[in-house]
Amino acid sequence: MILPKSNRLTPAQLAEVTGIVAEFGCTIQPIIGALRTIYAIVGDERDDLMINRLEGLDYVERIDRIQSPFKLMDKRSDLASHRIRLGGVTLGEELFVIAGPCTIDPKNPNYFYESAAAVKEAGAQMIRGGVWKPRTNPYTFQGDTRSMDILLEGSRRTGLPVDTEVMEEAHIGVALEAGVTCLQVGARNALNYSLLRAIGRAVAGRETAVLLKRSIHMGPVNEFISAAEYIAAFGNPNILLCPRGTAPGLDGYRNHPDESITPLLKEKTWAPVVVDPSHSVGKAAYVPASALAAVAYGADGLCLEAHVSPSHGIGDDPKQALTPEGLAETIRQARALWRLRRGLTAG
Ligand code: PEP
Ligand code: MN
């Protein structure tokens, strides 16, 4: 990783470093951080001669040789000062809440519009809504591209940015073209490295954020952060890590709630953690307690399924979605706990 003395390298300086690393079979990938652009050396960057030549350039402050499988997402990286701003909130400065239906019903768009209005009213800063859906049962509703218009109309009506899951490469361009602010990578695709690469490539140079769910089958914490690195490596580090429960170990919860992973993530990465209690526990009645547990463990945000009339929803909504009242109360309590926790931490 090349850290320049100024905010970014001039074109001539970039050409010079690109030429040097090319001699050693490497390429340069600029990563735009909040304070300065840093330059990842892609390839085998262990050659001492290459490092010495780069360190000898008078416009280079230093070369970071973090020995980590996720050198951009690592807490020791220069990107640790990177701040992600979404829906008027700087992540880490205020509890960030994404909420909305699991699945947009293209036949009944008013449910989405009314849910979006309720989400705004409850104080969330971003609306979620599934256009394309990963369903365990192949005979159930799989989503519909036509829901993209409904999602964006919900955004226009409320003035809030939107999040939706992309399941395959073809979805990425459609979502970005439509104006989706946050691309969601679902639990089933969190280990799909070619999709992660395609997302990284597509969001590079944009303000777009990516909400990366933790896979149902992911093991070590490093595996999760490394998946984020696949995206960041292309130049856009606006990544939110989203624990959402792992393979079920308890009889009763849909998945095994994993909000307690948050402090472990925070020891290793600077990336904000936005926990999804809805998929963790899988039942609306358990969601508020799981949301508070996530905040108690240090989450920077929550992603909550909510619907104006859960029993009329599709996908996960009938069982998992909070009602508008439930959502408003959960957000109110979560914010109060977040402030309390910050006060305790600060004191
Ligand atoms: C969802 O957010 O509706 C969803 C399908 O999530 P996950 O990928 O976590 O199962
Ligand atoms: Mn869902």
Side-chain angles (χ1 to χ4, degrees):
M1 199 75 60
I2 302 169
L3 283 75
K5 283 187 180 147
S6 55
N7 288 352
R8 70 182 66 85
L9 297 177
T10 65
Q13 292 166 343
L14 180 58
E16 185 174 22
V17 297
T18 302
I20 293 173
V21 303
E23 287 178 40
F24 299 87
C26 295
T27 56
I28 293 289
Q29 172 64 57
I31 316 282
I32 302 165
L35 299 180
R36 65 176 158 184
T37 299
I38 59 176
Y39 298 83
I41 304 167
V42 183
D44 186 350
E45 55 168 304
R46 285 170 302 180
D47 198 303
D48 283 335
L49 183 56
M50 176 176 77
I51 300 298
N52 288 345
R53 282 180 55 194
L54 293 169
E55 279 177 340
L57 300 169
D58 60 4
Y59 49 82
V60 168
E61 183 187 299
R62 67 189 158 89
I63 307 294
D64 229 332
R65 296 173 84 181
I66 297 173
Q67 293 304 312
S68 164
F70 40 84
K71 40 191 173 202
L72 295 170
M73 302 308 293
D74 196 292
K75 215 175 167 169
R76 294 164 294 172
S77 149
D78 197 56
L79 284 176
S81 59
H82 182 65
R83 293 288 170 270
I84 302 174
R85 219 178 138 69
L86 287 169
V89 173
T90 301
L91 276 281
E93 289 183 2
E94 195 182 317
L95 185 74
F96 174 66
V97 182
I98 308 174
C102 171
T103 306
I104 298 172
D105 179 354
K107 295 203 183 94
N108 296 291
N110 281 337
Y111 281 133
F112 184 74
Y113 301 143
E114 287 166 23
S115 300
V119 163
K120 180 170 181 162
E121 176 73 27
Q125 295 101 343
M126 181 177 268
I127 300 170
R128 59 155 290 150
V131 172
W132 302 286
K133 294 308 299 181
R135 303 301 304 278
T136 310
N137 181 343
Y139 301 112
T140 53
F141 180 64
Q142 307 282 309
D144 188 330
T145 302
R146 285 174 295 176
S147 295
M148 187 56 82
D149 291 340
I150 302 170
L151 178 68
L152 269 297
E153 177 60 20
S155 173
R156 273 186 290 276
R157 290 187 185 195
T158 55
L160 293 184
V162 286
D163 158 85
T164 202
E165 177 170 354
V166 288
M167 288 167 49
E168 49 194 76
E169 285 199 41
H171 295 164
I172 302 169
V174 177
L176 292 178
E177 190 78 359
V180 170
T181 296
C182 184
L183 302 183
Q184 180 173 316
V185 182
R188 293 156 189 81
N189 269 317
L191 291 169
N192 178 346
Y193 298 123
S194 53
L195 183 69
L196 297 178
R197 275 200 206 91
I199 290 173
R201 235 178 262 120
V203 300
R206 292 176 175 259
E207 298 276 301
T208 314
V210 179
L211 179 88
L212 176 68
K213 297 272 191 116
R214 181 165 181 238
S215 163
I216 304 167
H217 303 293
M218 252 178 209
V221 173
N222 284 6
E223 204 175 353
F224 189 19
I225 308 174
S226 297
E229 183 87 7
Y230 267 90
I231 302 166
F234 288 92
N236 179 340
N238 293 333
I239 303 170
L240 316 175
L241 298 176
C242 181
R244 48 76 73 206
T246 53
L250 292 175
D251 203 6
Y253 290 139
R254 177 179 179 187
N255 287 297
H256 186 78
D258 60 350
E259 65 278 331
S260 61
I261 194 181
T262 305
L264 305 179
L265 290 168
K266 288 194 166 287
E267 275 172 16
K268 296 189 171 208
T269 178
W270 53 266
V273 179
V274 174
V275 172
D276 171 349
S278 302
H279 291 84
S280 285
V281 295
K283 194 169 168 188
Y286 304 150
V287 170
S290 175
L292 292 179
V295 174
Y297 272 110
D300 301 290
L302 296 169
C303 179
L304 298 161
E305 287 191 341
H307 192 286
V308 69
S309 176
S311 62
H312 290 100
I314 51 178
D316 295 329
D317 288 324
K319 54 182 192 289
Q320 262 173 221
L322 295 171
T323 60
E325 300 71 38
L327 177 68
E329 183 58 14
T330 302
I331 293 178
R332 196 188 64 72
Q333 291 190 11
R335 289 235 158 92
L337 181 60
W338 196 85
R339 281 192 294 272
L340 181 67
R341 195 176 181 280
R342 289 298 276 236
L344 287 176
T345 308

